[in-house]
Amino acid sequence: MAKSKNAQTSQAAKRKLSEKQLHEMLYTMMLIRRFEEKALDLYSLGKVHGTMHLSIGQEATAVGASGALTQQDYLLNTHRGHGHCLAWGSQADLMMAEFMGKETGYCRGRGGSMHIANVDANNLGANGIVAGGLPISVGVGLSIRARNTEQVVMVVFGDGASNEGAFHESINMASIWNLPVIFLCENNQYAMSMPVEKSMNIDRISDRAAAYGIEGVTVDGNDVEAVYEAVHNARQRAIAGKGPTLIECNTYRYMGHSKSDRQAYRTRDEVKTWMDKDPIERLAGHLDMSKKDKDGLFKKAEAEIEKAVEFAEASPEPDVADIMEGVYA
Amino acid sequence: MPSPNGTREITYVEAVREALTQSMQADERVFLIGEDIGVYGGAFGVSAGMHAEFGGERVIDTPISEAAIVGACVGAALTGMRPVGEIQFMDFITLGMEQLVLQAAKVRFMFGGKATVPMVLRTPGGSGTGAAAQHSESLETWFTHVPGLKVVMPSSPYDAKGLLMAAIQDENPVIFVEHKLLYKVSGPVPEEPYTIPLGEPNIVREGKHLTVVATSIMVQRAKQAAEELAKEGIEIEIVDPRTLNPFDDSLMIQSVVKTGKALVVHEAVKTSGYGAELVSRIVESEAFDYLDAPVRRLAGLDIPIPYNRNLEYHAVPQVENIVAEARKLVRGEY
């Protein structure tokens, strides 16, 4: 990884983001972390059905990326997408209700953790299929071009998705047509248990951009300002008609792939190394926050999550009589 | 919808093209996307001349990337457009199945009914062109097995135009299965735009001795068989579902109640084919009490389509097979 490059982008970003914006970003990162920790608790209590994919440790990527986009832009999210969803401005209570399978949830309890969407807010949904969102992003890009609007679409996926055929087809197509697509790869180092070093013979996933004739950058995904800067630049390029960008954000998930993961493929030391680079601690440090202020902000996030849980728990279950709804329009 | 009677005759391929052209003229959200559909005009000439009329922004040539073609339709449909994708041969949909089955079909349901995916995927299926096993399949049943998709299979130029215009206006993902051998078949088609509601079957021919339920090219073969059988005094009634899913089976069931006998005919392989669904619907209904004979299926052999002309011919039902099967059923030989 080119540290000098990361350092440069961070310097540039500092000029772009005000202290107030950075404080807001820190809060959103804390909200994401508390949301997911609470989700884990609820799962342990048997209140959440199925499985979940937690992004604890990856919050800077989600917050930096969404922060560089506008409300008119589109998001196509991954299965590990709670962070991006919250960063996009989704309500924690409606997300939590979806998580608990309630009628009041974003998807009326039909989608759950892996399919949270809010189409009205241009959040076109999380996707349970690795690389499933990439081909769709091509269509959104075409649609933007046909409607001649100043929008972009950001599709988020993991390192594992970059080994799917859909990755190749989609980036190639977006490239030949110069579509306003931002391909955001969250390289959290593992595709379930498969480490990136064993799944590809290159050092940087962003090197793959060259094969499609598009811009590719690798940034420190735990540095919210670096991510912001990269996505901001990609958006500028897309709006200017200069086509798509592949951004690789190097980050790490502290938790297992999903609830069934015993994490036999990595060491505690490795996890600890990454925890030392924790994105929330880093930003708080950068902002010279006192422990008291930081704890206070976490408390605020906790309170918001508690309210979300209260809302979700008080919400009704879907009515079985409505089970057939939504298959066809 | 206007009657086909007294109008000019055009071919099935011209009818498909006219439906696309009129839909694009009426609605600027409609665009075409697929392999070689531009200047080349499509592998079967469906979009011939359309690139010149509408330009490359609305008749979009793609690389050979079926997953991205289907996905492009999904993304465009989710964000306000009405894409019509072409999969050059039905067999190639295997390369786009994830986007079709796991994305297009399920997005609306997964999102709690809060998204719509108004897209059409046109594709030519069927054998008879000597293209062998990887370019001749009839895979429609795969799609009828996926809730969220609509599956349409027109058997005539008139139906092709009306059903395609309806499919493009529909708010759901529609798989529109054309047949390569039907492309050159002519029939009356009104010039003005019209739609045939999806889900409504058609009584192609009335008769009292036997109900023949047929799809796509088998409707044409059943009509030819009917002429042969009529010479022997056997009058078959032909029901064409037109939309395989969702399918309103009431006309088919009424027909079987009337005739007391049913034969289901399709080109796709027999095992787990659409015929099994049709037979089940018949025997689950009140028509069961009126049956005078076993309900029979005539379908493709359970083999890949062979290359050799004679083998290919014998791999799927032909007119003489329908005649023979109908004769046995009507004469009580089962």
Side-chain angles (χ1 to χ4, degrees):
Chain A
M1 193 176 315
K3 282 180 181 162
S4 57
K5 192 169 182 178
N6 286 339
Q8 277 167 17
T9 46
S10 291
Q11 285 303 319
K14 274 173 202 161
R15 290 195 295 274
K16 286 214 156 52
L17 290 165
S18 67
E19 193 133 322
K20 181 168 176 286
Q21 284 174 304
L22 288 172
H23 269 99
E24 285 167 4
M25 288 178 148
L26 180 64
Y27 178 71
T28 307
M29 286 161 70
M30 290 174 166
L31 191 68
I32 293 167
R33 184 155 303 181
R34 289 294 183 257
F35 179 94
E36 295 207 310
E37 287 167 351
K38 179 54 84 175
L40 192 58
D41 287 351
L42 293 169
Y43 182 87
S44 306
L45 292 170
K47 292 185 179 181
V48 174
H49 186 50
T51 189
M52 69 183 95
H53 303 93
L54 301 175
S55 65
I56 295 174
Q58 304 182 194
E59 295 88 348
T61 296
V63 173
S66 276
L69 301 178
T70 75
Q71 289 186 324
Q72 281 70 50
D73 296 329
Y74 292 101
L75 170 70
L76 285 158
N77 203 352
T78 73
H79 60 285
R80 198 177 305 286
H82 305 143
H84 287 280
C85 206
L86 283 164
W88 196 257
S90 306
Q91 289 177 232
D93 51 356
L94 303 187
M95 282 178 65
M96 199 59 88
E98 186 59 33
F99 214 69
M100 295 177 74
K102 298 299 183 76
E103 180 69 24
T104 54
Y106 270 117
C107 305
R108 301 178 61 205
R110 271 67 168 182
S113 160
M114 232 184 325
H115 303 297
I116 299 178
N118 184 9
V119 176
D120 290 340
N122 290 357
N123 173 357
L124 304 179
N127 208 309
I129 304 301
V130 170
L134 280 100
I136 301 173
S137 74
V138 174
V140 180
L142 276 176
S143 163
I144 292 168
R145 195 173 70 181
R147 290 181 284 110
N148 198 23
T149 54
E150 204 166 89
Q151 294 170 290
V152 302
V153 53
M154 177 174 74
V155 55
V156 187
F157 52 93
D159 43 283
S162 75
N163 289 328
E164 286 278 9
F167 170 91
H168 169 80
E169 288 191 22
S170 306
I171 299 186
N172 182 59
M173 231 183 234
S175 171
I176 56 170
W177 297 332
N178 244 9
L179 298 179
V181 184
I182 299 171
F183 293 97
L184 191 87
C185 178
E186 284 181 300
N187 180 356
N188 66 10
Q189 316 305 322
Y190 291 93
M192 202 158 154
S193 70
M194 172 64 98
V196 275
E197 312 87 74
K198 288 186 183 170
S199 71
M200 57 189 80
N201 204 8
I202 51 174
D203 294 331
R204 294 162 166 246
I205 291 171
S206 66
D207 287 348
R208 292 186 165 174
Y212 313 107
I214 67 165
E215 197 70 23
V217 290
T218 295
V219 297
D220 181 347
N222 281 9
D223 179 345
V224 72
E225 297 164 271
V227 175
Y228 173 92
E229 178 72 6
V231 175
H232 175 82
N233 291 343
R235 186 175 193 281
Q236 296 291 101
R237 236 186 332 269
I239 295 291
K242 292 178 183 170
T245 305
L246 172 61
I247 302 171
E248 175 189 19
C249 298
N250 273 308
T251 183
Y252 199 79
R253 60 169 156 77
Y254 299 165
M255 315 302 287
H257 161 75
S258 67
K259 284 307 300 163
S260 62
D261 185 356
R262 289 190 309 241
Q263 305 183 56
Y265 50 86
R266 65 183 186 183
T267 63
R268 281 168 197 264
D269 281 351
E270 181 186 296
V271 178
K272 179 159 184 326
T273 309
W274 278 91
M275 282 180 164
D276 291 341
K277 298 185 269 190
D278 185 78
I280 293 176
E281 291 302 326
R282 267 171 77 175
L283 181 54
H286 172 67
L287 289 167
D288 291 327
M289 259 186 137
S290 67
K291 184 173 184 307
K292 187 172 162 249
D293 286 351
K294 198 175 69 185
D295 290 348
L297 208 53
F298 260 130
K299 283 266 181 290
K300 191 179 155 199
E302 277 158 30
E304 187 173 340
I305 297 304
E306 282 308 323
K307 275 178 124 178
V309 173
E310 279 169 32
F311 170 82
E313 292 201 298
S315 290
E317 294 271 329
D319 189 336
V320 176
D322 299 334
I323 196 169
M324 297 300 290
E325 284 182 5
V327 180
Y328 292 101
Chain B
M1 84 194 82
S3 162
N5 300 326
T7 62
R8 76 209 157 131
E9 293 213 346
I10 59 173
T11 61
Y12 186 97
V13 73
E14 289 166 336
V16 172
R17 189 185 307 133
E18 191 163 277
L20 294 172
T21 301
Q22 290 180 352
S23 296
M24 288 175 74
Q25 286 165 345
D27 187 344
E28 62 180 18
R29 298 172 300 174
V30 180
F31 70 91
L32 311 186
I33 182 166
E35 295 158 5
D36 309 299
I37 64 168
V39 175
Y40 193 98
F44 293 93
V46 170
S47 53
M50 292 187 70
H51 186 270
E53 180 176 354
F54 295 102
E57 291 285 314
R58 295 188 73 194
V59 180
I60 304 173
D61 263 328
T62 69
I64 301 176
S65 303
E66 285 78 10
I69 292 169
V70 181
C73 291
V74 177
L78 270 173
T79 53
M81 303 296 289
R82 290 190 172 265
V84 181
E86 176 176 300
I87 297 296
Q88 197 167 71
F89 285 78
M90 190 175 205
D91 316 67
F92 305 166
I93 193 59
T94 48
L95 296 150
M97 280 302 261
E98 183 274 316
Q99 286 293 309
L100 187 59
V101 174
L102 302 181
Q103 311 294 340
K106 295 184 170 65
V107 159
R108 180 178 178 79
F109 186 82
M110 292 191 304
F111 294 178
K114 296 176 185 173
T116 52
V117 189
M119 61 176 270
V120 177
L121 209 56
R122 295 178 34 252
T123 191
S127 64
T129 65
Q134 295 174 334
H135 291 71
S136 303
E137 287 179 283
S138 301
L139 304 173
E140 59 275 8
T141 309
W142 288 3
F143 309 110
T144 62
H145 207 63
V146 180
L149 299 180
K150 292 189 176 182
V151 184
V152 178
M153 268 186 117
S155 66
S156 71
Y158 177 80
D159 285 355
K161 179 175 173 183
L163 288 168
L164 183 52
M165 294 202 76
I168 293 170
Q169 290 169 29
D170 199 271
E171 297 297 334
N172 300 284
V174 180
I175 312 307
F176 194 85
V177 185
E178 297 157 15
H179 197 293
K180 295 161 205 134
L181 296 187
L182 288 176
Y183 278 141
K184 289 180 182 167
V185 169
S186 292
V189 178
E191 287 184 41
E192 69 265 33
Y194 63 95
T195 57
I196 297 171
L198 303 188
E200 285 186 13
N202 183 30
I203 304 290
V204 177
R205 183 188 195 276
E206 292 191 6
K208 60 184 177 187
H209 296 119
L210 167 69
T211 299
V212 173
V213 191
T215 58
S216 189
I217 195 166
M218 293 304 155
V219 176
Q220 299 290 341
R221 290 185 187 160
K223 280 162 74 176
Q224 289 172 266
E227 287 171 28
E228 291 292 309
L229 291 160
K231 292 176 194 162
E232 304 169 19
I234 297 172
E235 296 296 335
I236 63 170
E237 181 147 300
I238 303 172
V239 179
D240 176 1
R242 297 198 289 200
T243 305
L244 272 51
N245 193 37
F247 166 49
D248 177 357
D249 56 23
S250 54
L251 273 182
M252 174 182 77
I253 288 162
Q254 284 165 26
S255 175
V256 180
V257 166
K258 181 176 80 176
T259 64
K261 297 186 177 74
L263 172 65
V264 170
V265 191
H266 60 64
E267 176 168 347
V269 297
K270 190 176 195 174
T271 301
S272 302
Y274 190 67
E277 174 67 24
L278 292 171
V279 173
S280 300
R281 293 212 193 191
I282 291 167
V283 300
E284 283 176 348
S285 76
E286 67 269 26
F288 181 78
D289 290 334
Y290 295 83
L291 288 173
D292 299 327
V295 182
R296 299 283 298 177
R297 286 180 291 165
L298 196 54
L301 301 178
D302 286 334
I303 57 170
I305 297 296
Y307 167 66
N308 172 276
R309 190 190 297 270
N310 199 35
L311 294 181
E312 183 186 32
Y313 184 85
H314 285 92
V316 302
Q318 303 294 343
V319 175
E320 58 269 28
N321 305 122
I322 301 172
V323 169
E325 194 71 10
R327 201 184 274 141
K328 283 175 84 173
L329 266 168
V330 172
R331 288 181 183 167
E333 292 173 17
Y334 280 113

